Amino acid sequence: MMFEQKRLHPIAILFNLIVIIKNTLFIIIAAFLGISVSYFFLIGILGFILFIIVFSFLSWYRFIYWIENDELRIEYGIFVRKKRMISKNRIQSIDLTANPIHRLLGLVKVQVETAGSNEGAEASLSAVHLTEAEQLKSILKEQSLSSDIAEEVEQQNQVQEKISPQRLFMAGTTSSSIGVLLAIVAFGFSKVEQFLPEHLYENTVALIISFSLSMIIVLAFLFFFILWLIGIAGTMLKYWNFTIVKQGKELLIQRGLLETKQLTIPLNRIQAIEIEQSLIRQPLGYVSLHVVVAGSDVKEGFPVVFPFMRMVEVESFLQRFLPDYTGMLVPLKPLPKRALKFYIFRALIPMIILSILIWYFLPNFLWVIILLSMLGIGIGYLRYKDSGYRIQGKKVTWCKRLIGKTIVLVYHRRIQAFEEKQFKVQAWQKLATARLSIIGSLGAGTHYTLKDLEEADVEEIGDWYSYREN
């Protein structure tokens, strides 16, 4: 099947322009704030706008792609002509993404990943007609579009699962995105002072301080309620119509309302499975499932293979989509009781620092110190209680907690390194720390650490990893 030389859709010029503006936005804002507006300044701005428009057009014009001799070939570059050739045999996955502009024009973004991708996608085509993208994908994946029989057999062998809108809403209400939003708001609030007139900023702060305590509580409640609603909306937009299909040796995932994504995850690139359970979802018995994929895009994190399901449904899900990982959700070997004091001590350290700051700057709020102490003890106890491991033949189940709980299922052959560590204090208590490392995002290591295990247990894990005899 032929695929002749093509250029991206002309809307790629706009995408190039947006990328340049996004990368230089901070410099542009700083220039407006730091340099007085003058005739020469306006000429400079107009010149800069003209330059990035011409640059975006030339970047689009010089970018061509085609398939030749079983290779995806790309040529690009304005001043330096660059050529990239990607063999079909090296391609691990081809993902299609469509934002609202793409969907309006019937386009998609094509991202090609190989086993050696170390900076996100090996190749990215920002605007391609959907039919051409499907044709490109079929040729590169060596699928025959005309083979109706093969297609029918594949469809019969497909396993599919789709999330319902009700479950997706529950996922939004129990997501931890409100914490992320709070961090974004806090960062924006810390920077807004630089961009607002001083008198406006001071008057606003003075107005808030003048409110009564009851008014501040009401405003705080409204603030968190709005963030909660935004978190629900964000989750629903991101995972709308989430569908996972197992087809041959690949998992195909489609999701998104405003921006639709079609992800391909080869089963042989999965390094481990993570079952995540936040503090809100744990009492309700719900989890989200992720897979650690070698070379996955770090910006997206580990791919979600199902965003929200009951814990009791995980085994059934694994049997249908990832049967190699079944039978691993078993009771774990717990930590010794003498490890509890170390977990509580570590959790109390940040609380002690916060308490000192409150005692110094806000002496009228000393009661908060008691709450922080109780919170630290509670987090430390949960970390101790939920940590553990279990070895079963060539598989190990690993459980740890920072705030949320994470259960890791990993095969022996996927573990790249094992590390044992023991501090003096741990040696006195006959405890030690174990760390397993696997390949994670962008080829970098992903590490799973369990602190304060029995010395004998750490030896057992080390022997299992190195196949030594006990």
Side-chain angles (χ1 to χ4, degrees):
M1 189 177 295
M2 294 296 295
F3 198 94
E4 298 177 348
Q5 287 190 2
K6 293 181 183 296
R7 282 195 175 85
L8 301 175
H9 188 278
I11 197 66
I13 300 172
L14 176 63
F15 293 156
N16 291 338
L17 199 60
I18 291 172
V19 170
I20 296 172
I21 292 174
K22 183 178 144 187
N23 292 337
T24 56
L25 186 60
F26 182 77
I27 298 174
I28 294 172
I29 293 174
F32 269 107
L33 295 176
I35 302 174
S36 61
V37 177
S38 64
Y39 179 73
F40 294 105
F41 176 77
L42 293 176
I43 291 178
I45 289 294
L46 290 174
F48 177 72
I49 293 172
L50 181 63
F51 170 76
I52 62 175
I53 290 174
V54 172
F55 186 86
S56 300
F57 173 81
L58 291 177
S59 296
W60 166 79
Y61 184 77
R62 299 276 283 175
F63 191 106
I64 55 174
Y65 64 97
W66 72 99
I67 295 176
E68 182 179 330
N69 296 332
D70 287 341
E71 289 179 336
L72 172 63
R73 300 190 174 193
I74 300 173
E75 288 190 12
Y76 61 101
I78 299 174
F79 304 109
V80 179
R81 197 68 174 157
K82 299 177 182 176
K83 298 180 180 179
R84 177 168 291 180
M85 292 169 282
I86 305 170
S87 171
K88 286 200 313 187
N89 298 327
R90 290 185 57 229
I91 293 175
Q92 296 288 332
S93 66
I94 302 173
D95 299 333
L96 308 182
T97 307
N99 61 31
I101 298 175
H102 282 117
R103 294 166 66 183
L104 186 66
L105 300 173
L107 307 173
V108 291
K109 177 181 180 181
V110 181
Q111 289 185 291
V112 179
E113 290 190 0
T114 67
S117 301
N118 55 10
E119 293 181 0
E122 185 74 33
S124 181
L125 311 178
S126 60
V128 179
H129 279 290
L130 179 58
T131 52
E132 291 178 0
E134 294 287 358
Q135 185 186 8
L136 188 72
K137 185 175 180 179
S138 297
I139 297 173
L140 293 176
K141 299 295 286 184
E142 294 184 336
Q143 295 172 355
S144 172
L145 292 177
S146 59
S147 178
D148 296 334
I149 298 176
E151 188 175 344
E152 186 178 343
V153 171
E154 275 192 350
Q155 288 177 352
Q156 288 175 352
N157 293 331
Q158 281 183 0
V159 182
Q160 179 173 318
E161 181 90 20
K162 186 175 182 179
I163 194 168
S164 65
Q166 293 81 5
R167 280 219 165 175
L168 192 52
F169 179 77
M170 288 181 64
T173 58
T174 58
S175 75
S176 55
S177 56
I178 190 169
V180 179
L181 292 171
L182 270 176
I184 294 173
V185 171
F187 177 77
F189 188 76
S190 68
K191 298 294 181 186
V192 73
E193 182 183 4
Q194 304 174 21
F195 302 103
L196 287 180
E198 188 174 346
H199 68 280
L200 178 60
Y201 179 80
E202 291 178 352
N203 290 341
T204 304
V205 173
L207 178 64
I208 294 174
I209 294 175
S210 68
F211 288 156
S212 63
L213 180 61
S214 57
M215 178 64 77
I216 291 176
I217 292 174
V218 170
L219 289 176
F221 175 79
L222 285 175
F223 174 72
F224 282 105
F225 182 69
I226 291 171
L227 286 184
W228 182 62
L229 292 179
I230 293 174
I232 294 174
T235 301
M236 297 197 71
L237 290 174
K238 184 176 182 181
Y239 294 113
W240 184 257
N241 199 33
F242 184 97
T243 306
I244 177 170
V245 177
K246 183 180 181 183
Q247 187 174 351
K249 297 180 180 179
E250 294 177 333
L251 295 179
L252 309 178
I253 294 174
Q254 182 170 343
R255 63 172 174 82
L257 184 59
L258 291 180
E259 182 181 70
T260 59
K261 280 183 176 287
Q262 295 179 29
L263 306 178
T264 304
I265 303 174
L267 294 177
N268 62 0
R269 291 184 70 191
I270 294 176
Q271 306 297 304
I273 294 176
E274 290 189 357
I275 303 169
E276 295 191 353
Q277 200 168 37
S278 66
L279 282 175
I280 301 174
R281 291 179 178 176
Q282 189 169 351
L284 301 174
Y286 284 94
V287 299
S288 62
L289 259 66
H290 305 246
V291 288
V292 181
V293 180
S296 60
D297 190 342
V298 72
K299 291 184 292 185
E300 293 285 335
F302 296 137
V304 176
V305 289
F306 212 80
F308 194 69
M309 67 167 55
R310 288 184 179 279
M311 186 66 189
V312 294
E313 297 170 345
V314 172
E315 190 69 17
S316 169
F317 179 88
L318 293 175
Q319 284 176 356
R320 284 175 291 146
F321 292 93
L322 298 158
D324 290 345
Y325 291 87
T326 55
M328 298 179 72
L329 296 175
V330 293
L332 303 179
K333 195 169 187 179
L335 305 183
K337 288 183 179 177
R338 58 185 184 280
L340 175 60
K341 54 181 174 291
F342 294 108
Y343 274 79
I344 291 180
F345 175 73
R346 291 192 197 95
L348 278 174
I349 290 176
M351 305 303 174
I352 292 172
I353 295 172
L354 281 174
S355 298
I356 293 173
L357 293 174
I358 290 172
W359 173 75
Y360 186 78
F361 291 104
L362 302 168
N364 293 330
F365 291 87
L366 292 180
W367 54 272
V368 177
I369 295 175
I370 298 175
L371 294 180
L372 289 174
S373 301
M374 294 173 63
L375 181 64
I377 293 172
I379 291 175
Y381 177 74
L382 286 176
R383 287 177 183 170
Y384 161 78
K385 179 175 170 291
D386 289 328
S387 296
Y389 77 97
R390 178 67 66 186
I391 293 173
Q392 296 182 84
K394 296 180 179 179
K395 302 179 282 189
V396 63
T397 306
W398 201 261
C399 187
K400 64 187 182 68
R401 174 191 287 279
L402 184 59
I403 301 297
K405 176 180 173 183
T406 302
I407 302 172
V408 185
L409 314 179
V410 60
Y411 265 83
H412 178 281
R413 66 177 184 275
R414 298 298 189 188
I415 299 173
Q416 301 296 313
F418 168 74
E419 182 180 328
E420 176 183 346
K421 189 186 295 182
Q422 189 176 43
F423 294 98
K424 284 286 186 185
V425 178
Q426 287 179 312
W428 293 336
Q429 296 287 313
K430 296 188 179 306
L431 301 174
T433 297
R435 187 172 83 161
L436 303 180
S437 301
I438 61 174
I439 298 175
S441 300
L442 303 182
T446 296
H447 312 290
Y448 300 107
T449 302
L450 276 183
K451 296 178 178 176
D452 305 320
L453 291 166
E454 290 274 13
E455 278 182 342
D457 291 340
V458 177
E459 286 291 329
E460 180 197 15
I461 299 170
D463 291 342
W464 171 78
Y465 173 70
S466 61
Y467 291 120
R468 283 181 293 169
E469 294 293 332
N470 291 319

